[in-house]
Amino acid sequence: MTLQEFFAAAPKAAVAFSGGTDSAFVLWAARQYGCQVRAYYAKSAFQPAFEWEDARRLAQSLGVELTVVPVDILAVAGAAANGPRRCYHCKQALFTALRGAAAADGYPLLLDGTNASDDAGERPGMQALRELAVRSPLRECGLTKAEVRERSRQAGLFTWNKPAYACLATRVPTGTPLTADTLRRVEQAEAALTALGFADFRVRVLGQAARIQLTEPQLAAALDRRGEILDALRPLFSAVLLDLDARPASL
C-alpha cells in the first residue's frame, strides 16, 4: 500500500503531531494526498519548548490547523513513577487526550508517526497505541526512517534532517520518580548546550549530577569549551560529567 492509497481510504484524519520528522511527514502526506487533516499537539512536562515551536512552525507552513492539548502527565501515577512501563502509561494518557480532542472536533481517526524502522514488538508504548486504535501510515506503508527523511527532504520540509529526539523523561534513570523540577533542569541544560552550538546530544541525570552524552565529533569541542559548559550547567546540577563513550548520531 502507498501513502496515496492510505489517504484515499482515510479521507479525514487527525495527526498526533510532535514536531518531529516522522509526524511532520505524515502531516505533509495527508495534505499532499487530499486528506482533510488537523494536527493535535500533546503539551506536557515531558516535551521541551523547542518541540512545540517546531510543531507550530511546520503546521503553519503547511496551512494545517494545530490544536494544543494540555496533559498533566505528572498527575499520571504510572508515568511519574518512571517504572519500566512508563512509556505505556504516558502514551495511554497522551493519546487518550488527543483522541478525545480529535473526536470532539469530528475526527474519529487518529494517526501517529511510527515508521517501519521502529521495532513494534512488545514495546509498552506500541501496546498503548494498539489498544487505542491509533494507526501508523508510515509503518503500514513500509516506509523506513531513511525513506521518510529522504522524502521529507524532497518535499522541502525543514524537519528532514532533524535529529531523533526522545522525551525528557528518558533522561532520568528508570525507577527514579519524575518531578517538574528535574525535567525543567534537564530542559534548561539541553537548551544551554544547544545555544553553545552542540547538537544531537543528551543530558542525563545521574544522582544530582548531569552526564552529557555527545556524538564523537563533538567531544573535542566539549573539552575545549569546558569552562562555558560548566558556567551554563553548574547552576542546574551539582556536578557536570562528560561521557567519553560517544553516542551514535541519530540521523
Side-chain angles (χ1 to χ4, degrees), residues 86-211:
R86 179 203 70 237
C87 195
Y88 171 81
H89 296 290
C90 176
K91 286 199 181 294
Q92 269 282 346
L94 295 182
F95 279 82
T96 295
L98 291 173
R99 191 176 68 166
D105 292 333
Y107 293 85
L109 176 61
L110 181 61
L111 313 177
D112 87 321
T114 303
N115 64 63
S117 297
D118 293 323
D119 177 19
E122 294 303 316
R123 287 169 58 185
M126 296 292 191
Q127 178 188 345
L129 296 182
R130 288 193 297 270
E131 291 175 357
L132 293 169
V134 177
R135 293 189 64 183
S136 306
L138 302 180
R139 185 174 185 82
E140 291 182 34
C141 295
L143 292 175
T144 65
K145 186 72 171 186
E147 289 172 314
V148 170
R149 289 195 182 279
E150 176 55 23
R151 293 195 188 190
S152 296
R153 185 190 66 78
Q154 293 173 4
L157 303 179
F158 72 84
T159 50
W160 78 270
N161 64 345
K162 183 176 179 178
Y165 186 86
C167 80
L168 294 170
T170 62
R171 312 301 195 266
V172 182
T174 300
T176 300
L178 300 168
T179 67
D181 178 67
T182 299
L183 297 171
R184 175 191 58 80
R185 288 186 291 120
V186 170
E187 181 177 2
Q188 290 181 352
E190 294 195 344
L193 288 179
T194 298
L196 289 175
F198 294 97
D200 197 11
F201 61 83
R202 300 286 185 266
V203 174
R204 302 199 184 276
V205 175
L206 186 63
Q208 295 301 309
R211 176 167 61 95

